[in-house]
Amino acid sequence: MLKIAVQKSGRLYDHSLHLLNECGIELNNGNRQLKAGALDYPLEAYFLRDDDIPQYVYDGVADVGIAGENVVFEKKRELQILSKLGFGRCRLSIAVPKAMSYTSCQDLNGLKIATSYSNLLQKFLDENNINAEIHEISGSVEIAPGIGLAEAICDLVSSGSTLVTNGLKEVEIILRSEAVLVGRDNLSGEKQSILSNLLMRIEAVKTARHNKYIMLNAPNDQLKEIASILPGMKSPTIVPLAESGWSSVQSVVNENDFWSIIEKLKSLKAEGIIVMPIEKMIL
Ligand code: PRT
Ligand code: ZN
């Protein structure tokens, strides 16, 4: 069995379980126990605090884990990032009181900065030759300047509203983070093959998320040009319609090119364009 560490509650919990679900892995976690087995898959999940996950994977208590890059890099354990998962996105930033004048990171010299990320902050200070004092606290970092505990903070930001509420402004982004699947090198052959299968499923789910299935009707005299802008997995599928002079075209389009392709298709007289989400995509 492959043992996976997942956050036991918090921002990553739902997304992690949802991802596993989309991979066809359902965890039997009815009453939120410490451990849960999967139905029909050789996997066991351990539910832990996110901060502990890198250490548990490093020690081999779990084989792989899902945690934010912010936590993985802060803990400085030698782990492999096996897959970036696309959720839990945030940034680790330095913020100062709104009224403070700030032109460059050199303005941080001599300040006391409160954070729960002292390793990542120290690395940023060293790389930029800044001499500031790090005051490590474990929670409610954003209130530190307001109560006179520090002059600046270094904390996670997503919407930015916590900073605004506390009269702070974001001045430096020191890390961009998302949830990742981390693991160690030395798994046994059997565990390694379960992991390869899990990674194949995760990639299929991720690829599908970034692509849309598209169907449209096109006049035959435009087919050549329409086919040239629709990549498809190999090339688009083209089937003649009952109405003469028209064909149905089916293809897969990447979300980044999606709207520009739709504009072009319309200008090429495509009609009845239908777009569908793709559940899995195995290349
Ligand atoms: O109990 P446990 O230790 O497991 O949970 P936790 O409270 O330490 O972690 P949790 O659930 O808050 O966050 C888990 C992971 O989610 C983090 O390690 C990040 O990888 C990711 N993540 C994404 C965030 C945020 N966005 C986020 N906005 N983690 C925390 N925040 C906090 C931030 O610390 C600040 O207090 O939200 C506030 C800022 O949010 P905005 O939207 O106001 O900017
Ligand atoms: Zn935590």
Side-chain angles (χ1 to χ4, degrees):
M1 283 229 216
L2 188 74
K3 289 179 281 182
I4 185 168
V6 174
Q7 191 188 23
K8 79 171 179 298
S9 65
R11 289 168 201 262
L12 304 182
Y13 176 83
D14 285 339
H15 287 286
S16 303
L17 260 58
H18 182 67
L19 174 70
L20 291 172
N21 245 300
E22 287 184 301
C23 291
I25 300 168
E26 209 177 311
L27 292 173
N28 202 351
N29 186 27
N31 31 4
R32 295 246 176 155
Q33 293 137 334
L34 171 66
K35 280 202 282 187
L39 309 169
D40 295 335
Y41 199 82
L43 180 128
E44 186 171 46
Y46 287 13
F47 297 100
L48 304 165
R49 287 198 55 206
D50 67 341
D51 316 68
D52 297 335
I53 289 176
Q55 185 68 44
Y56 278 108
V57 174
Y58 184 76
D59 290 340
V61 176
D63 303 309
V64 292
I66 297 177
E69 288 172 294
N70 50 303
V71 165
V72 174
F73 296 146
E74 174 64 20
K75 299 294 174 192
K76 297 208 285 194
R77 295 285 169 268
E78 268 178 49
L79 296 173
Q80 275 179 285
I81 299 210
L82 303 169
S83 183
K84 291 199 171 214
L85 302 176
F87 57 83
R89 284 183 202 276
C90 57
R91 46 200 196 271
L92 182 63
S93 292
I94 297 177
V96 299
K98 222 164 50 187
M100 179 180 151
S101 86
Y102 188 92
T103 47
S104 82
C105 62
Q106 294 310 320
D107 293 337
L108 298 168
N109 270 303
L111 298 190
K112 192 194 249 192
I113 310 174
T115 189
S116 321
Y117 291 87
S118 53
N119 289 328
L120 289 171
L121 176 57
Q122 188 65 61
K123 184 164 169 269
F124 173 83
L125 297 177
D126 291 348
E127 283 168 1
N128 291 282
N129 289 316
I130 299 163
N131 209 334
E133 185 188 336
I134 297 178
H135 185 75
E136 182 152 4
I137 49 179
S138 61
S140 304
V141 175
E142 64 279 358
I143 64 167
I147 58 171
L149 201 63
E151 284 111 12
I153 66 163
C154 172
D155 198 13
L156 299 176
V157 181
S158 47
S159 69
S161 61
T162 302
L163 294 183
V164 173
T165 310
N166 288 281
L168 301 168
K169 61 180 177 189
E170 189 175 4
V171 292
E172 301 287 342
I173 295 176
I174 72 172
L175 177 79
R176 289 188 189 275
S177 174
E178 66 184 90
V180 289
L181 183 75
V182 287
R184 290 187 318 279
D185 278 339
N186 48 354
L187 291 187
S188 71
E190 205 170 336
K191 283 187 171 178
Q192 188 58 52
S193 78
I194 302 169
L195 176 58
S196 302
N197 179 275
L198 176 64
L199 283 170
M200 185 272 288
R201 293 185 184 200
I202 290 176
E203 291 314 309
V205 169
K206 277 167 53 183
T207 312
R209 264 186 213 153
H210 295 132
N211 287 280
K212 301 270 180 253
Y213 195 79
I214 173 166
M215 272 173 85
L216 55 94
N217 296 333
N220 286 346
D221 57 359
Q222 302 281 6
L223 277 179
K224 215 170 151 198
E225 260 195 277
I226 286 182
S228 75
I229 60 167
L230 286 176
M233 298 250 266
K234 284 214 161 48
S235 59
T237 308
I238 301 176
V239 189
L241 286 181
E243 188 177 333
S244 79
W246 283 82
S247 296
S248 164
V249 180
Q250 296 163 31
S251 183
V252 172
V253 175
N254 189 281
E255 65 180 357
N256 296 325
D257 314 322
F258 180 74
W259 285 110
S260 74
I261 287 183
I262 295 286
E263 298 300 317
K264 286 185 201 151
L265 290 173
K266 287 187 69 176
S267 72
L268 290 168
K269 306 210 167 48
E271 285 180 9
I273 304 173
I274 293 175
V275 180
M276 285 168 285
I278 299 173
E279 193 175 306
K280 309 279 188 300
M281 203 164 144
I282 295 115
L283 299 176

